[in-house]
Each structure stands twice: as structure tokens, then as C-alpha cells.
Amino acid sequence: ILLIILIWTNFTYSQTIEQYFTGQKSYCNFQNKDDTKLYELGIQGIQLKRYQTSLDLFLKLVKNDSTQCDAYFYAGYTLSLQNSLEEAAAFYYMADSLSKKKSLPFKLNLAKTVAQLGNFKLARKKYQEIVTFFPESPEGYYGIASTAIFIEDFENGLMNINLAFSKYSKNKEKIDEDVYFITALLFTLSGKHELSLRYYGLISDKFSNNDFYRMHYAFSLKKVGKSKEDKKMIKKAYIIYNTIKDKSQLTNDIQLEFIE
């Protein structure tokens, strides 16, 4: 649960996707000028953090036109901002289904939200669709890699995180620490501990208080320390291990590694 929260609440959008949230474009046509005005007011309400007011406006738009995918999306978005994730997912699903232009924001928010709800099968499907329809966007590859931690196809996850790195670089986008975190975890879970340490070393205090981070970082440190007979590394592994607050989350492999 802690990992799910960590991965998808820290998720950042690319500059291209952020442009949609300014309200300067839409994916479905509005029936009249009044609906356009309601749409603009709804987005302004989000910017002013008047989420319930905005939600009411978007729901009115949906009632006026049941095919208005943008209204469905923003209804879902305002619900997600109020932590009503199940309801948000339903509206995102409708927006994605109605969008004939295959909207990247719709698929991405749907995937992110259902992943937070634990539906990794649907999340993976949507991330695969992003890769298919938007192959130059890194988000689909990052999403596949993130879900690989839960679906447990780690090698597939590593392949896709590498593709995400290449897309971030090609698009000249800043690589967020979340990407390094996912990479480090996938290397640990794949038993490639020395490679994982390269990426744990790129992660700041943003993650250091998370038990999932601590247990896997300590595990890889201990494995590499033993293989190199490095006492300092082994000592550091135990220091990190002893900071884990909830050891009920530990896997058998990690528990066995630290039994005195």
C-alpha cells in the first residue's frame, strides 16, 4: 500500500500533458457557447481550488451532453482531487471511451487512478495503449515499469524503464526521482543488486523515510556487501534495515538475509 501511494501520488506529467490542463484545448466538441462557458468556469474553479463548485459544473455539462468527454474527464479530475478515487475512475473510463482522438491525458489519469485502487491489470492495459498510440511519450513505458513491480514481470519492467529513459532524453524532459526509484526497485527484485545501488544513490530524502525503499535498499546493500566482503557496506545495510518501522511488510528473502 505504501508503495502504491508513493509511486502514483508522486507521478508528474510531461509539459505536453500539462498544456491540456490550462483549458486551452478540448478533445470533444461543445454543443453551444453556454457549455463552453461552463467548461471554462469549471477549469477556473479547479485553479482556485473550488473543487466541489467545479464538479457541479462538469456534472451539469455531462447532463447537457452525455458525449462530452472533456466534461467527464474533468469531473473525474475534480473527484480525484477530493480523494474520491473510485468515482473518479468511473468518469475517467467514460472520458477515455468517448474520446475518438485517443487522448493521452485521459488514458494516463485512468491508468494512474486504477493503479492506486489496486487494479494493475487495467492499469497495464491502459499503459500499453499509451505506448501503442503515443510511442514517443515516456509515460506509457514508465507506467508499464511501475506496474511490473506488482504484476511481477520484472524483466519486462526493466526493458520498459530503459525505454522511458530514452524517451525522456529524446524529449529533453527532466527525469524525476520516481523513475530512479522504480529502476532501483526493479533491479533489486530482479536480483541485480549491484546495478540497483547505482539508482538508490540518485534518490534524495524524498524516499528515505519510506519502509519499502529502506527494505529493498538494505537488501541490495547486504547482498553486494557480502559478495565483496565489504564490512562497511554490510554495516550500512543493517543501519538502514533497523530504521524500518513496519517489518511486517518484509518478504521472507529479506527477513532471512538479516537474521543474526
Side-chain angles (χ1 to χ4, degrees):
I1 294 173
L2 287 173
L3 180 63
I4 294 170
I5 293 170
L6 191 65
I7 292 172
W8 280 285
T9 56
N10 285 307
F11 191 91
T12 54
Y13 296 109
S14 68
Q15 185 178 358
T16 303
I17 297 172
E18 288 287 1
Q19 292 173 353
Y20 175 71
F21 289 92
T22 64
Q24 295 177 6
K25 67 171 294 183
S26 59
Y27 290 97
C28 293
N29 295 325
F30 292 93
Q31 288 187 341
N32 53 58
K33 291 183 179 180
D34 289 339
D35 284 351
T36 303
K37 185 63 177 177
L38 289 177
Y39 181 70
E40 292 170 351
L41 288 171
I43 292 174
Q44 289 173 19
I46 291 173
Q47 294 167 348
L48 294 171
K49 297 185 178 181
R50 296 175 180 173
Y51 302 138
Q52 188 57 48
T53 300
S54 290
L55 176 60
D56 292 340
L57 290 169
F58 294 126
L59 290 177
K60 185 174 182 180
L61 276 171
V62 169
K63 186 176 181 181
N64 290 349
D65 181 2
S66 61
T67 66
Q68 222 306 314
C69 62
D70 298 284
Y72 275 104
F73 174 81
Y74 275 110
Y77 185 64
T78 51
L79 283 163
S80 68
L81 291 171
Q82 298 176 83
N83 293 316
S84 299
L85 296 183
E86 290 188 8
E87 293 86 348
F91 279 93
Y92 285 148
Y93 192 90
M94 284 298 300
D96 183 51
S97 299
L98 289 167
S99 175
K100 296 178 181 179
K101 297 180 181 179
K102 300 182 177 65
S103 162
L104 177 55
F106 294 1
K107 290 186 184 299
L108 188 56
N109 275 58
L110 174 57
K112 171 188 169 183
T113 303
V114 296
Q116 286 180 282
L117 292 168
N119 189 343
F120 302 112
K121 184 177 180 181
L122 179 56
R124 171 65 67 84
K125 179 183 177 182
K126 291 300 163 182
Y127 286 127
Q128 291 281 12
E129 288 177 6
I130 291 171
V131 167
T132 299
F133 297 118
F134 307 96
E136 295 307 309
S137 172
E139 282 89 355
Y141 305 102
Y142 170 82
I144 291 171
S146 299
T147 54
I149 292 170
F150 305 96
I151 295 174
E152 299 185 357
D153 55 343
F154 306 130
E155 292 298 330
N156 183 40
L158 285 169
M159 181 185 71
N160 277 277
I161 204 67
N162 285 330
L163 288 168
F165 273 115
S166 68
K167 300 300 179 182
Y168 283 121
S169 178
K170 184 178 179 180
N171 298 346
K172 297 181 179 180
E173 294 180 29
K174 181 182 177 182
I175 298 176
D176 195 82
E177 282 186 53
D178 302 75
V179 183
Y180 298 131
F181 180 52
I182 294 301
T183 307
L185 286 177
L186 286 169
F187 276 128
T188 295
L189 294 166
S190 300
K192 299 171 183 176
H193 300 288
E194 195 159 357
L195 288 170
S196 77
L197 296 183
R198 298 180 188 179
Y199 290 92
Y200 287 120
L202 298 172
I203 298 169
S204 68
D205 291 341
K206 173 181 177 180
F207 294 96
S208 61
N209 291 325
N210 180 269
D211 277 350
F212 206 86
Y213 162 85
R214 289 167 171 166
M215 67 178 71
H216 289 87
Y217 185 22
F219 186 50
S220 284
L221 274 171
K222 180 74 182 299
K223 285 288 190 182
V224 176
K226 282 173 62 179
S227 69
K228 293 186 173 183
E229 297 182 351
D230 188 324
K231 292 181 180 180
K232 288 184 178 180
M233 190 174 285
I234 293 171
K235 182 179 178 180
K236 183 178 180 180
Y238 275 100
I239 290 171
I240 294 172
Y241 177 81
N242 289 329
T243 64
I244 298 170
K245 295 177 181 178
D246 183 7
K247 289 187 171 62
S248 66
Q249 301 179 77
L250 295 171
T251 63
N252 290 334
D253 288 345
I254 297 176
Q255 289 183 43
L256 290 170
E257 188 64 41
F258 287 91
I259 290 175
E260 296 288 352

